[in-house]
């Protein structure tokens, strides 16, 4: 099975900050990497699919990059509604494992 | 508008069984792969199982292989998860999720979840 790791596990930031979250796969997954965010008590929401494709309706301050084993989610100017937990997920091969999550909270 | 409505969760003793359902609407159900994803209280997301659009291919996490069975009824626009031999560690909120396009394209739509509790 492919293992996914994320760093950092948590970070504190302020509105307007540029935030970067990393995700690493234990083996190459080409560009089959998706990013989600989740707020407490809510279902996850897809932000980015296939490494860098912005999901419909998602603000352009979110972007994704990477291929192979190393991927990055960037939020260019953090907004109040972006404080949440972010997960990466590989969809290259079953089981479609998720990363452990990165919690972004208020500094 | 895509809607996914899970049901069937509840309190079940270890070793027991539950059947979860996910009623889908707002899209052509039979043309999309579907999945179940769970989240234990205070924990991260765990992919559980997926089924192809026609129902002929199924996939499972190691943690549920041999105990859970995913299926779908395209005539009823409904996804199922039969959960047998339940364990304490199966306690979680279970979401059904729809892919964007093809099976490996990420989950664009999620239900609100149904809670399964297996007490120790």
């Amino acid at each position: 099975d492919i293992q996914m790791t994320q760093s950092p596990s948590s970070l504190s930031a302020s509105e307007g900050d540029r935030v970067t979250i990393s995700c690493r796969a234990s083996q190459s997954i080409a560009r089959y990497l998706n990013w989600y965010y989740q707020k407490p008590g809510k279902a996850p929401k897809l932000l980015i699919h296939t490494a860098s494709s912005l999901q419909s309706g998602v603000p352009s301050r979110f972007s994704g990059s990477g291929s192979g084993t190393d991927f990055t989610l960037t939020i260019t100017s953090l907004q109040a509604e972006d404080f949440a937990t972010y997960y990466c997920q590989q969809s290259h091969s079953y089981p479609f494992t998720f990363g452990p999550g990165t919690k972004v909270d208020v500094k | 508008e895509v809607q996914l409505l899970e049901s069937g969760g509840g309190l079940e003793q270890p070793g027991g069984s539950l059947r979860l359902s996910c009623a889908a609407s707002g899209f052509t159900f039979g043309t999309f792969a579907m999945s179940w994803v769970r989240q234990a209280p205070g924990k991260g997301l765990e992919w559980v199982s997926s089924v192809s659009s026609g129902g002929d291919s199924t996939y499972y996490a190691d943690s549920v292989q041999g105990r859970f069975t995913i299926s779908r009824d395209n005539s009823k626009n409904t996804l199922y998860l039969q959960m047998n031999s339940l364990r304490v560690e199966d306690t979680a909120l279970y979401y059904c999720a729809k892919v964007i396009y093809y099976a490996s394209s990420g989950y664009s739509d999620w239900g609100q979840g149904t809670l399964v509790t297996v007490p120790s």
Side-chain angles (χ1 to χ4, degrees):
Chain A
D1 297 356
I2 298 173
Q3 309 303 316
M4 306 300 293
T5 57
Q6 288 182 235
S7 61
S9 56
S10 66
L11 66 91
S12 298
S14 301
E15 286 187 49
D17 284 354
R18 179 185 180 92
V19 169
T20 299
I21 298 170
S22 297
C23 176
R24 176 167 288 179
S26 60
Q27 63 190 73
S28 178
I29 56 171
R31 293 177 59 81
Y32 292 100
L33 192 282
N34 312 303
W35 290 98
Y36 302 85
Y37 95 132
Q38 186 181 34
K39 306 205 84 168
K42 300 293 187 180
K45 176 182 175 181
L46 180 66
L47 297 171
I48 302 285
H49 64 91
T50 49
S52 61
S53 297
L54 194 67
Q55 173 63 359
S56 176
V58 173
S60 59
R61 64 180 180 272
F62 292 93
S63 64
S65 64
S67 65
T69 60
D70 293 301
F71 301 86
T72 301
L73 173 71
T74 300
I75 310 171
T76 52
S77 178
L78 198 68
Q79 302 299 300
E81 59 268 31
D82 301 336
F83 293 102
T85 300
Y86 292 81
Y87 296 94
C88 62
Q89 180 210 19
Q90 67 82 15
S91 52
H92 177 271
S93 55
Y94 290 107
F96 284 174
T97 38
F98 287 89
T102 295
K103 185 176 182 179
V104 178
D105 61 19
V106 179
K107 183 184 287 183
Chain B
E1 179 192 3
V2 172
Q3 291 196 346
L4 301 170
L5 185 61
E6 302 95 336
S7 60
L11 178 67
E12 183 58 56
Q13 295 301 311
S17 298
L18 281 174
R19 189 195 198 199
L20 307 185
S21 299
C22 172
S25 60
F27 64 104
T28 307
F29 180 72
T31 63
F32 291 90
M34 297 291 295
S35 297
W36 290 97
V37 176
R38 69 184 180 184
Q39 187 168 35
K43 302 297 184 182
L45 301 171
E46 181 186 13
W47 175 86
V48 173
S49 182
S50 293
V51 61
S52 60
S53 57
D56 51 322
S57 295
T58 57
Y59 309 89
Y60 299 94
D62 292 344
S63 57
V64 307
Q65 179 77 50
R67 299 188 298 122
F68 290 9
T69 301
I70 191 171
S71 62
R72 62 192 298 161
D73 186 335
N74 287 345
S75 68
K76 296 183 178 179
N77 290 348
T78 303
L79 176 72
Y80 302 101
L81 186 68
Q82 177 67 43
M83 310 166 66
N84 297 332
S85 303
L86 283 164
R87 302 170 179 170
V88 172
E89 55 266 34
D90 295 322
T91 295
L93 186 64
Y94 285 75
Y95 295 101
C96 71
K98 168 192 168 293
V99 296
I100 312 171
Y101 320 110
Y102 45 88
S104 56
S105 59
Y107 301 132
S108 55
D109 300 276
W110 299 65
Q112 86 293 342
T114 186
L115 183 63
V116 171
T117 303
V118 186
S120 56

